[in-house]
Amino acid sequence: LSLFDGAGSGTGNFVADNFLAAAYNNSDGNSLWGTNWTETGDDNVATTGKILVANNQLQIGGVAGTPSIFRQVNLSAAGVNPLSLTTATFSFNWGRVGGPVGTVIVEVSANGGTTYTTLDTLTAASAVGARSYNITTSIAANTRVRFRNSAGLTAANAFFFFDSIQIADAGGALT
């Protein structure tokens, strides 16, 4: 569970998705996401396909090719539902089930998905648990975070899972 603790010098604004419902429109922060989660290369349905929400987790598994899922948010001070962040941290918990499990690339975009910057490459050798990334240089009106299958994630019943996804500033620290 992600909660605002009030510490720090930022705005305290944050977006979060804890996947408590099997849907792509969850919003568990004190601010609104700009879009729902959007799949590419799968069926774009939260409860079916190889990218889905199940067991209070976003799961990516058993897929060929390079499908992905992204969500957009306005981290700037202008436009619709602005978070007005001056610093930004993207964080989540993750793990994997089954094997051999392939590779998922964690990315951020500061231009609505025209280009992405790789934040991490998660593999069977990566330590599972909490991850956190400074994405301050990606603050924009159309910042996107994306999880992209890169290779080898084709075994039945093998998948990566993500939870407690949050973007916050210094005043919206995870507790």
Side-chain angles (χ1 to χ4, degrees):
L1 180 62
S2 301
L3 299 173
F4 168 64
D5 72 358
S9 59
T11 64
N13 294 333
F14 69 102
V15 291
D17 194 340
N18 297 322
F19 301 101
L20 299 178
Y24 283 157
N25 64 347
N26 296 315
S27 189
D28 299 309
N30 65 4
S31 298
L32 297 174
W33 291 91
T35 66
N36 296 337
W37 288 101
T38 303
E39 299 176 5
T40 59
D42 199 30
D43 64 1
N44 210 31
V45 177
T47 55
T48 63
K50 300 302 183 178
I51 301 175
L52 71 149
V53 178
N55 301 313
N56 299 329
Q57 306 164 335
L58 174 64
Q59 298 180 357
I60 302 173
V63 291
T66 58
S68 64
I69 188 163
F70 72 85
R71 196 155 191 192
Q72 188 165 298
V73 62
N74 181 357
L75 300 181
S76 76
V80 178
N81 297 322
L83 269 70
S84 301
L85 302 188
T86 57
T87 62
T89 301
F90 172 45
S91 59
F92 57 85
N93 294 321
W94 82 283
R96 59 187 176 275
V97 171
V101 177
T103 302
V104 169
I105 309 296
V106 180
E107 299 171 307
V108 65
S109 172
N111 54 23
T114 301
T115 59
Y116 283 90
T117 299
T118 298
L119 299 172
D120 209 342
T121 302
L122 304 175
T123 69
S126 302
V128 299
R131 287 284 205 263
S132 181
Y133 312 92
N134 182 331
I135 61 167
T136 300
T137 59
S138 296
I139 290 174
N142 55 354
T143 301
R144 285 187 182 182
V145 291
R146 176 170 78 169
F147 299 97
R148 179 175 52 89
N149 177 40
S150 176
L153 199 54
T154 58
N157 301 317
F159 58 88
F160 283 81
F161 61 87
F162 303 89
D163 191 15
S164 301
I165 294 174
Q166 176 176 280
I167 301 174
D169 68 4
L174 284 173
T175 59

